[in-house]
Amino acid sequence: MHRGFMARLKRREVTLRARALISAFAFAAALGCATMEPTIPAEPGVAFELPVGKTAALNGNGARITFKQVKDDSRCPTDVTCVWAGDAHIELAISRNGSSDDTKILSLSPANSEARSGDIQIRFVGLTPVPRQADGNSPHAYVAQLVVNRI
């Protein structure tokens, strides 16, 4: 084979390898940036469940609701007789289209179970699991039941 042909072939091989390497790095970078966790769909007026640490996306207006944490859970355990039912407080973060979070603390007690954020109203209707004295202070995988309406 001709020496010039071999040199061109070698340059082409190096160019193809470089392109493949650049493509691989670009693909890896794109995968690294696309780590958005899937959201839970929420329809206005329909109750939905939201596990702690997860985010729901309200259909139709871009609002996202994240269940940050249980602030307090003083509900009466199911295996105990109590004088009063107790209460639970949760922290939610509401965001829209890249805006900063609007933090709301909601309670199961009717007086504090609803909050407004922009054009939506959020109602906290339940929290599972219900405490049991037999469980002691073991950590819980809390799930809030919420209803969101447009106002």
Side-chain angles (χ1 to χ4, degrees), residues 61-136:
N61 78 346
R64 297 169 57 92
I65 302 162
T66 302
F67 181 6
K68 295 298 226 178
Q69 65 177 323
V70 174
K71 299 286 279 181
D72 171 48
D73 187 357
S74 64
R75 295 174 295 163
C76 181
T78 58
D79 52 353
V80 173
T81 302
C82 299
V83 179
W84 73 293
D87 200 358
H89 297 85
I90 62 170
E91 179 181 336
L92 301 175
I94 300 96
S95 61
R96 284 178 193 74
N97 304 326
S99 66
S100 60
D101 290 350
D102 182 12
T103 301
K104 299 291 183 187
I105 307 293
L106 297 176
S107 164
L108 282 174
S109 67
N112 300 310
S113 65
E114 295 184 3
R116 290 181 181 205
S117 178
D119 62 345
I120 62 172
Q121 181 169 350
I122 305 163
R123 185 166 33 107
F124 178 31
V125 295
L127 183 67
T128 58
V130 176
R132 289 176 11 125
Q133 185 177 27
D135 293 342

Side-chain angles (χ1 to χ4, degrees), residues 10-54:
K10 192 99 165 147
R11 280 193 306 265
R12 180 166 172 80
E13 182 180 6
V14 169
T15 302
L16 288 174
R17 283 186 183 171
R19 285 181 182 169
L21 190 59
I22 290 169
S23 294
F25 280 123
F27 182 72
L31 281 178
C33 292
T35 58
M36 285 187 62
E37 212 169 299
T39 58
I40 294 169
E43 294 293 328
V46 178
F48 65 95
E49 294 188 341
L50 187 60
V52 70
K54 301 296 182 182

